[in-house]
Amino acid sequence: MSVVILDFGSQYTQLIARRIRELHAYSVMLTGTATVKEIEDHQPKAIILSGGPASVFDPAGPRPDPRIFELGLPLLGICYGMHYLVYHFGGQVERADQREYGRAHLVCYEGPLFAGLSGDVQVWMSHADSVSALPPGWHVVAKSAENPVVAVQSADERIFGVQFHPEVVHTPQGLRVLENFLHIAGVPRDRTPKHTLNLLLHEVRNRAGDKRVLLAASGGVDSSTLALLLARAGVDHTAIFVDHGLLRLGEREEVERTLRNLGVNLVSVDAADRFLCALKGIADPEKKRKTIGGEFIAVFEEKARELGPFDLLAQGTLYPDVIESAGSKGAAMIKSHHNVGGLPETFNFMLLEPFRDLFKDEVRKLAQLLELPDEIRLRHPFPGPGLAIRILGEVTPKRLHILRRADAVFISTLKEWGLYHEVWQALAVLTPVRSVGVSGDERRYGYVLALRAVTSTDGMTADWAQLPMDFLDAVASRITRLVPEIGRVVYDITSKPPATIEWE
Ligand code: XMP
């Protein structure tokens, strides 16, 4: 029993899916032109038609399969979705001279879709077309000062349209609107994390049976949770953890200890020398990434051969990856997207991807149920190529040794000051620049270390974090004291865009 979201290309469609999940209902996103058969395969209880850049006047614009209107399901159209519903059921839509974009406030609202909303209702608009005449029997249920038709409903109160985007945070009471729609449609709200975990355990046991399952552990939350899931399901699994020598201080030991304590069959490969040797003389960031990716595949494959044969490869692919690559359900072969540094295309494994319907925050909730310690569960993202892309220029054992200690001081001080979870990601970058300083009576040349901390929701855009001055002061003096090779500490105050989060 699901809510099917038909995607007409809005930048916010994924957010609709997330919000529905937050309300503990199950949602599936399909392309807006999905056939009625494809939709029915998901046992829909309701359909949401998303917004999108097209106009109903555009003959080439995406249109839903008209047979969906014969299913008798409750429908909610958002923006373009609303225009399409109005147009389909016999109303009129007109092109506006100007695009309305940004905040608006409802001057009145009524009806079941707005039940329980109170006070000033701010909504987020982003549209050009608007509704000029309603289908027979429909009526307007919300207006703003600028717009006389902000929400509409059909006579039987089963079909709704909203001009605004209830799924975005700039519509603060939007979740309530979506919740009301679920209530009207009688969508079950039983998808608690516990329920999801039980379903996944069942699925993994069913798919794996007594087959041997291989996976790559990276120490990140997705692969760690996946390993725990397999362990909890009692599946015959082997997690290979490739230590490429580019990890943070004590990271390998922490991952080994944590996962093994929780019953994961973890095999580590110490391949630091091999990676460092391959990286010798390479300063170009993309070349570093390619070299690390290539070595990773080789090491992983060798170890898998040694420990094999295996029947299935488990991957922590998440729902956004599936949407991005328009993946199909079932036992697809390895795709070009992957989340563990690049697994071999030549591996002819069947895939087990239990998280392919989940968002990252849902995986974090599962991780909590599976008792993954917060140290790993709530850890900042860490790039697959590790510290190699935080050492500008060539990666050498000496530079790694410097950066690893400086990074550890930065991160542990953030934790000590209670600031670690206030930022999305924090990192230290070792620059090749050496600048002058004084030590006693002597002039001394030390490396310039850059600290970076950002706030973000998904890493796509980021703001530099305004860490307290006294914290920066404390951390700079700690780093220069504990890592004498560093002579100067600077703090990066660039946002993304125009910069990226990493320096390489
Ligand atoms: P940028 O630097 O592109 O980073 O703003 C966005 C997020 O991606 C991470 N990142 C990587 N992750 N392999 C990875 O697995 C990479 O090559 C890579 N480069 C950047 C970065 O840490 C941030 O979280």
Side-chain angles (χ1 to χ4, degrees):
M1 293 275 213
S2 66
V3 177
V4 167
I5 300 162
L6 294 180
D7 177 22
F8 293 102
S10 159
Q11 53 177 328
Y12 305 128
T13 311
Q14 264 202 42
L15 272 180
I16 307 174
R18 288 186 69 129
R19 298 285 174 255
I20 302 293
R21 305 281 185 91
E22 270 170 46
L23 292 164
H24 293 155
Y26 186 61
S27 66
V28 182
M29 233 175 94
L30 299 178
T31 167
T33 53
T35 63
V36 77
K37 164 85 179 59
E38 285 164 324
I39 294 170
E40 281 189 304
D41 282 349
H42 295 279
Q43 297 177 302
K45 243 345 223 168
I47 298 178
I48 296 180
L49 290 82
S50 86
S55 157
V56 291
F57 300 108
D58 182 357
R63 280 157 197 249
D65 182 337
R67 288 170 296 178
I68 67 168
F69 301 112
E70 291 158 22
L71 299 174
L73 291 171
L75 305 171
L76 172 65
I78 297 174
C79 200
Y80 172 77
M82 165 186 179
H83 301 153
Y84 193 82
L85 289 177
V86 166
Y87 167 82
H88 175 83
F89 286 101
Q92 277 175 24
V93 176
E94 71 180 21
R95 277 184 203 272
D97 303 334
Q98 276 185 332
R99 193 174 179 82
E100 185 185 6
Y101 186 80
R103 290 178 182 81
H105 296 264
L106 301 188
V107 288
C108 58
Y109 46 90
E110 60 179 20
L113 201 58
F114 294 94
L117 271 76
S118 56
D120 173 44
V121 176
Q122 179 191 301
V123 296
W124 186 256
M125 297 284 203
S126 170
H127 67 109
D129 296 350
S130 53
V131 173
S132 53
L134 297 181
W138 288 37
H139 57 278
V140 173
V141 288
K143 300 177 185 181
S144 72
E146 299 76 25
N147 198 326
V149 189
V150 173
V152 295
Q153 77 183 28
S154 64
D156 62 359
E157 300 188 350
R158 302 267 294 167
I159 305 176
F160 301 87
V162 289
Q163 182 61 84
F164 60 90
H165 289 273
E167 67 277 20
V168 305
V169 289
H170 302 296
T171 302
Q173 300 191 61
L175 194 65
R176 187 64 204 250
V177 172
L178 293 172
E179 186 175 16
N180 286 337
F181 178 65
L182 297 186
H183 180 73
I184 295 162
V187 175
R189 308 253 310 266
D190 54 3
R191 288 277 171 149
T192 59
K194 202 147 186 202
H195 182 76
T196 306
L197 176 59
N198 287 335
L199 286 177
L200 290 181
L201 286 170
H202 185 72
E203 180 197 327
V204 162
R205 283 186 195 118
N206 255 355
R207 285 259 348 256
D210 52 9
K211 295 193 174 93
R212 297 195 66 206
V213 184
L214 173 67
L215 77 152
S218 70
V221 64
D222 303 337
S223 69
S224 299
T225 310
L226 181 62
L228 280 184
L229 182 76
L230 296 174
R232 180 70 66 89
V235 164
D236 179 354
H237 68 283
T238 303
I240 297 180
F241 179 54
V242 176
D243 178 358
H244 50 21
L246 307 163
L247 298 170
R248 289 162 291 188
L249 197 69
E251 186 166 6
R252 171 171 161 192
E253 295 74 13
E254 187 193 355
V255 171
E256 284 177 349
R257 191 179 53 245
T258 310
L259 292 185
R260 284 182 184 147
N261 275 346
L262 290 165
V264 173
N265 177 32
L266 186 84
V267 178
S268 297
V269 191
D270 181 352
D273 290 345
R274 185 166 167 173
F275 277 83
L276 277 178
C277 191
L279 284 168
K280 213 171 225 158
I282 299 178
D284 176 69
E286 285 316 302
K287 222 164 158 205
K288 281 185 194 171
R289 284 189 167 85
K290 283 215 171 75
T291 306
I292 294 165
E295 282 303 312
F296 183 92
I297 291 172
V299 173
F300 186 82
E301 215 166 8
E302 275 169 35
K303 198 69 191 174
R305 285 226 171 83
E306 183 191 318
L307 301 171
F310 293 96
D311 310 294
L312 282 169
L313 180 75
Q315 286 204 135
T317 313
L318 301 183
Y319 196 43
D321 307 326
V322 176
I323 297 168
E324 242 160 59
S325 57
S328 58
K329 254 194 140 49
M333 289 294 156
I334 292 171
K335 306 214 182 68
S336 56
H337 78 258
H338 40 66
N339 39 20
V340 199
L343 289 180
E345 304 276 336
T346 50
F347 261 26
N348 231 11
F349 279 124
M350 295 297 275
L351 284 185
L352 183 63
E353 296 179 307
F355 302 156
R356 54 181 297 128
D357 286 337
L358 304 183
F359 287 102
K360 184 118 191 156
D361 50 326
E362 294 177 300
V363 172
R364 287 217 164 97
K365 282 189 189 127
L366 282 183
Q368 195 169 19
L369 287 176
L370 288 163
E371 289 157 22
L372 186 68
D374 284 355
E375 274 298 299
I376 293 187
R377 193 174 67 87
L378 301 176
R379 197 144 68 157
H380 292 170
F382 186 64
L387 299 180
I389 55 167
R390 296 179 180 170
I391 292 174
L392 306 192
E394 188 185 355
V395 180
T396 63
K398 192 176 144 216
R399 289 179 177 182
L400 264 172
H401 183 60
I402 299 171
L403 178 59
R404 200 171 268 137
R405 284 174 296 146
D407 170 79
V409 175
F410 182 34
I411 299 300
S412 62
T413 313
L414 272 173
K415 286 182 178 164
E416 220 174 87
W417 283 59
L419 294 167
Y420 182 79
H421 297 298
E422 300 293 306
V423 299
W424 194 76
Q425 193 171 8
L427 51 127
V429 177
L430 185 65
T431 76
V433 177
R434 299 180 74 181
S435 80
V436 73
V438 285
S439 165
D441 292 334
E442 274 177 44
R443 284 166 77 81
R444 196 170 62 85
Y445 283 86
Y447 283 103
V448 176
L449 182 87
L451 301 182
R452 181 143 173 78
V454 295
T455 55
S456 176
T457 49
D458 53 12
M460 304 294 284
T461 58
D463 284 322
W464 65 276
Q466 308 213 4
L467 294 175
M469 284 295 172
D470 47 353
F471 165 79
L472 291 172
D473 184 38
V475 91
S477 68
R478 254 192 202 180
I479 288 176
T480 45
R481 185 161 44 84
L482 297 172
V483 190
E485 297 92 330
I486 290 174
R488 210 174 275 265
V489 177
V490 296
Y491 187 57
D492 182 349
I493 54 163
T494 334
S495 290
K496 172 183 179 177
T500 50
I501 295 175
E502 302 289 346
W503 274 38
E504 280 200 333

